[in-house]
Amino acid sequence: MKPHPVVAPAAAPPRIMTLGVEEEFLLLDPATGESMPVAARVLDALSGPAREQSRQEFRHSMVEMVTPVCTDLAQLREHLVALRRAAADAAEAAGARLVAVGATPVCEAHRSVPDEQRYQAMSRRFGPVAHDPAVCGCHVHVGIPDRDLAVQVCNHLRPWLPVVQALTANSPLHDGRDTGHASWRSMQLERWPSIGPTPHFESVADYDAMVAELIAAGIMLDAAMVYWYARPSAGYPTVEIRVGDVCPTVDDTVLVAALVRALVATMVDDIRAGVAAPRVRDCLVAAAHWRAAHDGVDGELIDLRGGGARPAWELIDELVVTVSPALARHGDLDAVLRELQRVRREGTGATRQRRIMAGTDGDVRAVLHHLTAQTTAG
C-alpha cells in the first residue's frame, strides 16, 4: 500500500481525551412492536437534564439522547443509564416502549418527518429515501479541537471502522423477519448519497472544499449532512464516529465508546510519530463495511491492512492489541477486556436477537420484550 503524506498537527491534544455519546431509540407499540409516532409527547414529558439532553429526530417514532462531555467510563455510564431510564419512563407514559434497536423491526405506518424546516427540506430533496422506516445509531464523539488533525484521524481510521461496525450490529430484523444481515440499518442508510465510508482528504482545506462542492451539487443541503462514518463534527470540537447501530445495553455502548476513544488516541499518536495513513481503495473499504453489516462478529471481516477475509474475532483481537496502550492510558483496559469477553460469550445485539428468534419459533414480540428490558438494564 502506498502511504499518504502526513501533515503535522498544530498542537498536541491532551493525553486523556474527552468523549460523549449520542444514542437514538425507537418508540414501539408494546403489543405489536410497530413504531409509534409519539416522540413529541415523549420529549414534552422529559424534564431537567434529560430534557436538555434530548433531541428531536427525523421520525415521529424516534428520540435521541445526548450525554454531556465525559472524561471517564464511569461518568459516561452514569449519564447513559439516567438518560435511558428517563426516556423510557416518558415513553411508557405515552403508551410506548423505548427500544434500543438499530432498525424498525416490524413496520412503521407513519413515516412523515417532523414539521421542522430542515427536515421538510430533506424530505422534498430526497423523496422516498427520506421516508424509509426509522433507523437508530450510536454516535461517539472524541475531543479533537484541531480540525486539521481531526481530518487526518479520519484518514487513519478507515481500515478499522468496519471492525467497530461489526461489534455494534444490532438490527437483523425488518418487516418481522431476519434479513440475513446483522445490521439492516447499514443497508438502509446506503440509499442516502452522503452516507458511507469517509473519503481520504489531504487537509482540512481539502475537506471543506469537497463538502462545499457536494452542497453546491445538491448532494447535501448543508455541512451537517456530512454523514460519513467518521467526520470532524459539524457542531462540536470532536471527531465523530457514526458507523454503529445503537447498542442494546449501556454496557455495550460503554465498550464501544472506550474502544473508539482509544482508537482515535492511537491514530493521533501515529500521526504525531509520522506514521502515514494507509492507501486503501474506496471500493475495498465499501466492501469491508458491507461484510461487517452482513456478518457482524459471527462470520468473517475483510482485513483492510493485510488483505483477504478473516474471522471477525481475529480482527477484533488485533484492534484491542493496537489500542491497548491508549486504553491503559485512559484507565479503560481492564473494563474493555472484561466486556469483550462478555460479548464473545453472548454475541452482539444481532446475535442475541437471533438466538431468541430461534428459541421462540420466530416470535418477534419475544425479541422486542428482551430488547425493551435490555435498554434500561444497568
Side-chain angles (χ1 to χ4, degrees):
M1 299 180 188
K2 182 181 177 181
H4 290 297
V6 175
V7 179
R15 288 181 60 79
I16 302 301
M17 293 181 170
T18 59
L19 78 166
V21 172
E22 301 170 352
E23 293 190 297
E24 298 164 342
F25 303 97
L26 285 183
L27 300 166
L28 302 182
D29 187 303
T32 67
E34 297 179 8
S35 300
M36 293 182 63
V38 294
R41 290 169 58 188
V42 171
L43 294 174
D44 286 344
L46 295 172
S47 61
R51 182 66 184 96
E52 295 169 2
Q53 290 158 222
S54 65
R55 300 288 186 272
Q56 172 82 62
E57 257 303 328
F58 196 55
R59 284 284 180 276
H60 293 289
S61 58
M62 295 173 62
V63 294
E64 181 181 52
M65 306 302 290
V66 181
T67 72
V69 177
C70 300
T71 56
D72 62 67
L73 298 188
Q75 184 185 32
L76 178 67
R77 191 179 195 284
E78 181 181 350
H79 286 298
L80 290 168
V81 169
L83 290 172
R84 285 185 175 216
R85 289 179 176 171
D89 289 345
E92 186 172 3
R97 295 293 182 268
L98 186 83
V99 181
V101 64
T104 299
V106 179
C107 69
E108 183 170 26
H110 305 280
R111 300 189 191 177
S112 62
V113 301
D115 189 20
E116 196 269 333
Q117 184 176 358
R118 185 166 179 273
Y119 288 160
Q120 292 294 322
M122 291 169 67
S123 176
R124 290 190 298 271
R125 173 67 58 84
F126 300 103
V129 173
H131 298 272
D132 280 345
V135 294
C136 295
C138 172
H139 305 162
V140 180
H141 290 257
V142 181
I144 300 285
D146 180 337
R147 289 187 74 238
D148 199 84
L149 177 59
V151 168
Q152 292 183 59
V153 167
C154 292
N155 291 339
H156 281 252
L157 287 172
R158 280 160 51 93
W160 288 113
L161 290 187
V163 182
V164 175
Q165 182 180 16
L167 274 169
T168 68
N170 185 37
S171 54
L173 304 181
H174 173 69
D175 199 23
R177 294 185 294 271
D178 192 327
T179 64
H181 291 76
S183 174
W184 186 246
R185 166 185 167 272
S186 298
M187 297 297 98
Q188 279 192 227
L189 289 177
E190 284 191 353
R191 286 158 56 89
W192 287 85
S194 61
I195 294 180
T198 312
H200 173 85
F201 293 102
E202 299 298 332
S203 65
V204 69
D206 185 25
Y207 176 93
D208 289 340
M210 178 55 67
V211 171
E213 188 171 341
L214 289 170
I215 293 171
I219 302 302
M220 305 173 185
L221 296 183
D222 50 41
M225 276 198 72
V226 175
Y227 295 146
W228 294 319
Y229 294 151
R231 67 176 186 178
S233 171
Y236 306 104
T238 65
V239 168
E240 180 183 1
I241 309 304
R242 44 188 302 120
V243 71
D245 290 357
V246 65
C247 296
T249 70
V250 166
D251 287 339
D252 294 320
T253 303
V254 172
L255 169 62
V256 170
L259 283 171
V260 166
R261 175 166 68 171
L263 187 53
V264 170
T266 301
M267 299 302 98
V268 169
D269 291 344
D270 284 352
I271 292 165
R272 297 201 66 79
V275 177
R279 184 181 295 276
V280 185
R281 292 184 183 275
D282 289 346
C283 59
L284 277 178
V285 178
H289 281 287
W290 184 91
R291 190 67 183 266
H294 185 271
D295 287 20
V297 303
D298 298 320
E300 293 185 324
L301 300 176
I302 296 175
D303 183 353
L304 291 174
R305 296 160 306 123
R310 297 172 57 197
W313 278 102
E314 286 188 7
L315 290 179
I316 294 168
D317 289 341
E318 289 184 8
L319 169 62
V320 174
V321 169
T322 299
V323 304
S324 284
L327 287 171
R329 186 164 80 224
H330 286 89
D332 299 343
L333 181 58
D334 289 344
V336 164
L337 294 177
R338 182 176 62 250
E339 290 304 315
L340 278 173
Q341 282 299 108
R342 175 184 60 81
V343 175
R344 197 186 293 264
R345 291 191 310 270
E346 300 176 0
T348 62
T351 310
R352 296 170 220 168
Q353 291 180 54
R354 285 171 166 160
R355 186 180 300 126
I356 295 170
M357 288 280 282
T360 60
D361 195 27
D363 187 351
V364 175
R365 288 177 299 178
V367 174
L368 298 180
H369 178 77
H370 169 79
L371 284 170
T372 300
Q374 292 281 283
T375 299
T376 53

